[in-house]
Amino acid sequence: MNRLAGERSPYLLQHAGNPVDWYPWGDEAFEKARRENKPIFLSIGYSTCHWCHVMEHESFESAEVAETLNADFVSIKVDREERPDVDRVYMAFVQSTTGSGGWPMTVMLTPELKPFFGGTYFPPQSKWGRPGFLELIGEIARVWKHDRARVDFAAAELFDRLKAVTGADGRSHAESSIAGTDALAEGVEQYQTAFDRRNGGFGDSPKFPRPSELLFLLREHVRTGARPPLLMATDTLRAMALGGMRDHIGGGFHRYSVDAEWRVPHFEKMLYDQAQLVLAYLDGAQASGDELFASVAEDTLGYVLRDLRDPAGGFYSAEDADSIPHETGGAKKEGAFYIWGDAEIGALLGDDAGVVRRRFGIQPDGNAPNDPHGEFTGKNVLYAAASLAEVAAATGRTEADVAETLARARRILFDARQQRPRPHLD
């Protein structure tokens, strides 16, 4: 066990058995880096982060990777839930230098904590257009030893940029004035350019919910009376509500959709996503009068109060994407708690199974085609594949009967799912 075994964070404790000589964030690590004149390898994540698990298994459990890190770096592991202040500073650096961010976050620092290289997940060997992690740390160690002036120059320049991004560069209030309403109109135009008119949302896959942008568009509709901001927001809210990113059995939303159609989610659930999405759906309901949005907000709050609230009154931060498959046991798999086999649906629901299959797009061989790792082979991700009217027409029932059947089926599936091994709760 390394020194993280003495920490309280669930994320740090997950790495306590790694061969990497991890340090928690603190003076002991900083002093070692200064004393031995080594760069700091900073890795930031959280305990329910799927790609954090992947990078740990691929790289941080590797004796070869650990040998390089332990010889040439001081390695620090940070839980973003425990130290959001540290995460915020270095995420600003990664986003400003790479154009994107995420976790696990990978940052190289000087002993004075100035960043000079950043990124997110790196595979063990080069693939997907990303350098391999072992190759990366080997090259950084080489440059640190043999071209130190270049590193120090880059660190100083990037540190100045980081200070500007975070507002720590001492600019006066007059120099950082608030943009005018022209900027709001320009923002709407940019969203119109990126809007996916077929599927809702902005850009291509993967698609994140991005509720702050939807709130902006809804407020612009109210401020100006313009229809395009309203339609972009409500089309996106509706697509997310009907897609597989929403948990149609237990309520709440998964982290993001891996495809452009909102069909197949990354199954992690975050508290802050639920909070922001509730606000977006309530504003969407007020702006449009669509009762679907209000019901989705209520359903999401029900999930939070049921599954993310501690008896002492606080709230948990997240649920993992991975869990142990209930049929086979063994290693954790992404989405195992949430996905369904066609035969399982038939056995649980009997005569109601046909209605549920049509409503939620359930197929005998599974319905998750955008599955690059084969996690969901033969399984079904529930999404609203047909409207209540379409299901009623296909089954010869009334819409009211279909709605009643789906409500009954949802309770049965919820109770059955509660018997499965639950995802880790942070």
Side-chain angles (χ1 to χ4, degrees), residues 68-343:
T68 299
L69 285 175
N70 296 344
D72 296 324
F73 296 84
V74 175
S75 300
I76 298 178
K77 178 63 75 172
V78 168
D79 182 349
R80 68 175 293 267
E81 302 289 2
E82 186 177 47
R83 293 302 304 264
D85 53 335
V86 176
D87 176 70
R88 183 166 53 249
V89 169
Y90 292 109
M91 182 59 77
F93 165 75
V94 171
Q95 289 177 326
S96 67
T97 54
T98 69
S100 62
W103 301 275
M105 187 179 2
T106 299
V107 190
M108 303 297 177
L109 315 175
T110 68
E112 295 74 37
L113 307 184
K114 294 181 178 180
F116 61 89
F117 177 86
T120 53
Y121 163 80
F122 291 95
Q125 288 83 37
S126 299
K127 59 180 178 180
W128 307 325
R130 294 173 182 262
F133 185 66
L134 192 59
E135 175 188 338
L136 173 68
I137 59 177
E139 177 62 14
I140 288 177
R142 186 196 67 79
V143 173
W144 180 267
K145 293 173 184 175
H146 302 295
D147 199 356
R148 179 66 180 275
R150 177 180 162 199
V151 174
D152 289 340
F153 177 80
E157 184 175 301
L158 292 169
F159 187 65
D160 287 341
R161 185 190 304 184
L162 179 61
K163 288 195 295 183
V165 168
T166 58
D169 57 353
R171 289 183 301 168
S172 69
H173 179 72
E175 291 175 305
S176 56
S177 58
I178 296 174
T181 55
D182 288 349
L184 303 178
E186 183 180 347
V188 171
E189 289 179 7
Q190 291 185 8
Y191 284 121
Q192 285 182 287
T193 301
F195 183 61
D196 182 344
R197 286 169 171 76
R198 177 185 294 272
N199 301 303
F202 303 93
D204 201 358
S205 61
K207 278 185 174 171
F208 285 79
R210 295 156 64 164
S212 60
E213 299 178 0
L214 302 178
L215 288 166
F216 163 72
L217 291 170
L218 290 167
R219 285 173 168 80
E220 276 303 281
H221 162 68
V222 172
R223 186 180 73 85
T224 66
R227 295 283 295 172
L230 174 66
L231 295 176
M232 285 189 285
T234 54
D235 284 356
T236 302
L237 290 169
R238 189 171 295 103
M240 291 192 299
L242 299 178
M245 202 184 76
R246 180 178 169 217
D247 180 357
H248 291 272
I249 300 302
F253 285 87
H254 299 295
R255 185 70 183 94
Y256 61 85
S257 173
V258 302
D259 60 327
E261 292 80 27
W262 306 100
R263 279 278 307 280
V264 181
H266 170 51
F267 284 92
E268 182 183 359
K269 284 180 171 180
M270 308 294 290
L271 175 65
Y272 66 81
D273 280 339
Q274 316 307 321
Q276 294 179 36
L277 282 165
V278 163
L279 296 177
Y281 274 96
L282 289 175
D283 274 15
Q286 289 179 317
S288 68
D290 192 330
E291 293 183 3
L292 169 66
F293 299 153
S295 67
V296 170
E298 185 175 17
D299 197 49
T300 304
L301 289 173
Y303 156 70
V304 170
L305 293 173
R306 184 188 66 244
D307 291 342
L308 294 185
R309 182 169 57 172
D310 184 86
F315 289 88
Y316 294 99
S317 63
E319 285 193 292
D320 209 325
D322 302 1
S323 58
I324 298 171
H326 66 286
E327 317 98 314
T328 60
K332 291 182 177 180
K333 293 184 68 175
E334 182 176 0
F337 184 71
Y338 300 100
I339 56 181
W340 301 87
D342 178 68

